[in-house]
Amino acid sequence: MDDLIYFVSLITFFAISLRILRALHIENHFEKFKLWEIKAAYFLGALMMGHMLAEVMVRISLLLTDYFN
């Protein structure tokens, strides 16, 4: 069950984080026409944020499971 919570949370938070990062316009901090580096920064940043938030969701579910048992 924890794997399912992690995977669904990772996909959800990855999408949300990617949208937030794009709204920040971090491409202004890169050199012009460095598209690969900009896309990699967006992807890695969103993946890291999604992973951290998914881990939080798994830990919350474990706490709630222990609390109600």
Side-chain angles (χ1 to χ4, degrees), residues 9-47:
S9 298
L10 179 66
I11 298 299
T12 304
F13 288 127
F14 175 79
I16 292 169
S17 300
L18 189 60
R19 194 167 171 111
I20 290 170
L21 286 174
R22 285 192 177 163
L24 293 176
H25 300 290
I26 62 172
E27 64 267 7
N28 296 334
H29 299 285
F30 288 89
E31 294 179 23
K32 281 190 169 190
F33 305 111
K34 296 287 187 173
L35 297 177
W36 186 86
E37 288 87 351
I38 294 168
K39 288 181 181 182
Y42 278 136
F43 180 80
L44 291 175
L47 188 62

Side-chain angles (χ1 to χ4, degrees), residues 6 9-10 13 49-59:
Y6 175 80
S9 298
L10 179 66
F13 288 127
M49 289 170 46
H51 168 71
M52 288 188 292
L53 292 169
E55 284 291 328
V56 169
M57 292 303 292
V58 168
R59 290 179 188 220

